[in-house]
Amino acid sequence: FNSLQVRAGAHSRMRSILLILVSVSAAQLVTGDLASVASNLKLHLNNAPSKPLRLRGGVMWVGGGKQFNRTADPNAGPESAQDTFLPLRQRLDCFKRIEELQKKFGPKYRTNEVIKLEEESKYLMMAQRMLRTLSLSVDLNAAGNFQRYVVGELQLGQHRAGIMYGRVDEQGHAFCDAIYEPPQEGDAVAYRLKTDAAAADERARADRIAALLGLRPVGLIFTAKSRKCILSSQDIMAACNLQKEMEDACGYDFARSCVAASITRNETTGAVVFEAYQLSDLCTDMHRRGFFAEPTKPNRGYSNTTIEILVERKGARKVDNDFFLSTVPIKTHSFPLFANREADFGVENRPGQTQNALEVKHILKCHEKLPLSRRISDLHMLLYLSRFLDPVLDMPAICKAVVEGGPIQPGHAALIESLAQL
């Protein structure tokens, strides 16, 4: 019986059987008194609960590597599975103690205690078991539009990035309802997001339109050619930047559900792979403190650091990005606000595709039997209209009508039709 091991999260009936078996004395087995054993086992099984065992935080660790088995537990809090901030707090305590000693005895003060504190204050690279985002559900139309472009037209020969807008429910499940592609340049090696004033203004308008529709940023989506790494150092940096922006604007509780999705092609089978990941709290803490060096080789699967860290208890200045990633399950759904459309408005910032008045006219003609609020219920179309309509007086009322499905005010309707040259 010493070889029997009870895995965490096993069914309560199996656990009951094992508990009884290990409680059987050696004398019963030697004398062959198996009738009493069977009787006790039957009695215990009849009284055993039928519900699964309670798992701390709803997360079950099933072995080495980074494979997880998620089990729902309504009675467990998400923080009870793993205190991911404990190593970060301990590291800060070591820094504070060093500062106190150097303030008291001088900056050159060196003792065994200071050396030990310096060693304990280093980041120890380890995988995070807890998922703050339990799943990512992508809208079929939004994901299909993005995938058709990067896989069908570009043949994954050009790297692209997009911001996923959607919702996050109380249980921690994220929903991607639309994908906005910011101003960028891409080639077969990497993508480069623009940071000039025009790009910042468009991004601000996209955030505002999405907020008026009840959506918020939930993460980034990347595309890449076949490569050996899951997410590159450039992807890690971009995802950390987005999460930092969300945290600075709305707080950690708002930003902790940020995910990173990737579309690439499997090197062996050639199949297109769509996966989602979440960055660990250790990764975002290192980024916030500026301990990541700027990536010089975009498609490498490791990140360089500006300080010494501990990888498998050994000092290093380079860490495999897999330490920072936890796999997030992917689901699909259809967002009602953007569903059942015969034609989609062109996506912004795509090379070879333009947004103009003729496109607006085409969309309105394709859905002329629908109310105007339904005909313009497209994030990309509303973002295009916001270039010409007032962001304070016009767009809030238009987006409200789109969300509620009500009539658009005659003045706003006249403005939209004049833009479409109807």
Side-chain angles (χ1 to χ4, degrees):
F1 296 105
N2 292 333
S3 63
L4 296 176
Q5 296 180 353
V6 182
R7 286 178 176 264
H11 197 277
S12 59
R13 290 179 178 267
M14 181 59 68
R15 184 171 181 266
S16 302
I17 295 173
L18 295 177
L19 288 176
I20 291 180
L21 289 177
V22 297
S23 64
V24 176
S25 64
Q28 287 177 302
L29 295 179
V30 172
T31 58
D33 188 12
L34 299 180
S36 60
V37 176
S39 177
N40 292 335
L41 182 60
K42 182 177 180 181
L43 177 63
H44 203 89
L45 284 177
N46 291 334
N47 297 329
S50 59
K51 296 182 179 180
L53 292 177
R54 181 179 186 274
L55 302 180
R56 298 185 60 195
V59 179
M60 180 172 66
W61 177 248
V62 297
K66 298 178 185 138
Q67 300 300 319
F68 299 91
N69 186 6
R70 283 156 287 275
T71 304
D73 182 8
N75 299 320
E79 299 294 339
S80 61
Q82 180 187 14
D83 187 358
T84 58
F85 294 109
L86 177 59
L88 305 180
R89 291 195 301 268
Q90 293 174 342
R91 178 178 171 277
L92 286 179
D93 291 340
C94 293
F95 265 118
K96 291 180 181 179
R97 177 59 180 164
I98 293 174
E99 290 178 354
E100 292 175 359
L101 293 175
Q102 292 181 345
K103 184 178 180 180
K104 183 177 181 179
F105 299 104
K108 297 184 179 180
Y109 180 72
R110 299 286 294 177
T111 62
N112 291 337
E113 181 184 5
V114 174
I115 296 174
K116 181 180 179 181
L117 290 172
E118 289 178 349
E119 191 68 19
E120 293 177 351
S121 65
K122 295 179 181 179
Y123 283 99
L124 175 62
M125 298 298 105
M126 57 188 301
Q128 179 172 312
R129 302 195 302 266
M130 183 180 61
L131 282 178
R132 300 192 182 278
T133 303
L134 299 183
S135 67
L136 172 65
S137 181
V138 294
D139 178 75
L140 289 172
N141 184 44
N145 191 344
F146 186 75
Q147 186 166 323
R148 283 193 301 271
Y149 176 67
V150 298
V151 178
E153 296 187 29
L154 300 180
Q155 295 293 317
L156 288 176
Q158 177 178 323
H159 288 228
R160 296 285 294 177
I163 299 176
M164 298 184 291
Y165 286 100
R167 304 152 287 135
V168 179
D169 62 15
E170 296 179 355
Q171 289 74 31
H173 298 279
F175 298 84
C176 168
D177 300 320
I179 298 176
Y180 159 70
E181 300 178 26
Q184 60 191 284
E185 296 177 353
D187 51 32
V189 178
Y191 56 85
R192 291 170 290 277
L193 300 178
K194 295 182 178 180
T195 57
D196 55 11
D201 178 70
E202 182 177 302
R203 168 67 191 285
R205 286 192 293 110
D207 287 345
R208 178 171 176 79
I209 296 299
L212 292 174
L213 297 175
L215 308 178
R216 46 160 285 189
V218 295
L220 285 177
I221 183 170
F222 316 99
T223 65
K225 62 181 181 181
S226 298
R227 57 188 182 186
K228 296 181 179 180
C229 63
I230 299 176
L231 293 187
S232 66
S233 55
Q234 183 187 29
D235 300 337
I236 295 289
M237 189 69 71
C240 286
N241 287 335
L242 177 63
Q243 186 161 342
K244 182 177 182 299
E245 292 175 7
M246 296 166 60
E247 185 174 348
D248 292 341
C250 305
Y252 174 76
D253 289 338
F254 182 87
R256 67 179 183 176
S257 58
C258 183
V259 297
S262 67
I263 299 179
T264 186
R265 193 182 299 276
N266 186 286
E267 289 183 319
T268 305
T269 63
V272 176
V273 181
F274 196 131
E275 297 174 317
Y277 303 92
Q278 186 176 49
L279 301 182
S280 65
D281 296 325
L282 185 147
C283 176
T284 55
D285 184 78
M286 290 182 62
H287 173 267
R288 173 171 284 277
R289 300 180 186 279
F291 294 149
F292 280 131
E294 286 295 328
T296 56
K297 298 180 180 180
N299 285 314
R300 293 299 177 91
Y302 59 82
S303 297
N304 294 317
T305 61
T306 58
I307 61 172
E308 186 177 63
I309 58 175
L310 296 178
V311 180
E312 297 181 354
R313 299 290 179 178
K314 297 180 180 179
R317 287 182 176 267
K318 182 173 68 175
V319 57
D320 193 320
N321 292 332
D322 289 355
F323 277 107
F324 301 138
L325 304 179
S326 298
T327 304
V328 177
I330 290 185
K331 305 177 182 178
T332 58
H333 71 280
S334 181
F335 188 46
L337 192 62
F338 302 147
N340 301 323
R341 298 182 62 81
E342 297 181 5
D344 295 320
F345 192 72
V347 180
E348 59 285 330
N349 303 314
R350 285 185 177 177
Q353 297 187 13
T354 58
Q355 294 179 326
N356 50 44
L358 293 179
E359 286 290 326
V360 178
K361 182 178 181 179
H362 171 68
I363 296 297
L364 296 182
K365 286 292 186 180
C366 288
H367 305 87
E368 58 184 355
K369 294 182 179 180
L370 299 176
L372 183 58
S373 59
R374 286 291 300 150
R375 285 189 279 174
I376 64 173
S377 60
D378 185 298
L379 176 67
H380 309 289
M381 186 173 183
L382 292 170
L383 181 59
Y384 173 77
L385 294 176
S386 67
R387 295 164 55 183
F388 310 99
L389 302 179
D390 190 276
V392 178
L393 301 178
D394 299 330
M395 294 310 300
I398 293 175
C399 291
K400 181 179 179 181
V402 170
V403 173
E404 297 177 352
I408 291 182
Q409 298 178 7
H412 295 150
L415 289 174
I416 295 173
E417 292 177 353
S418 64
L419 290 174
Q421 301 176 2
L422 291 177

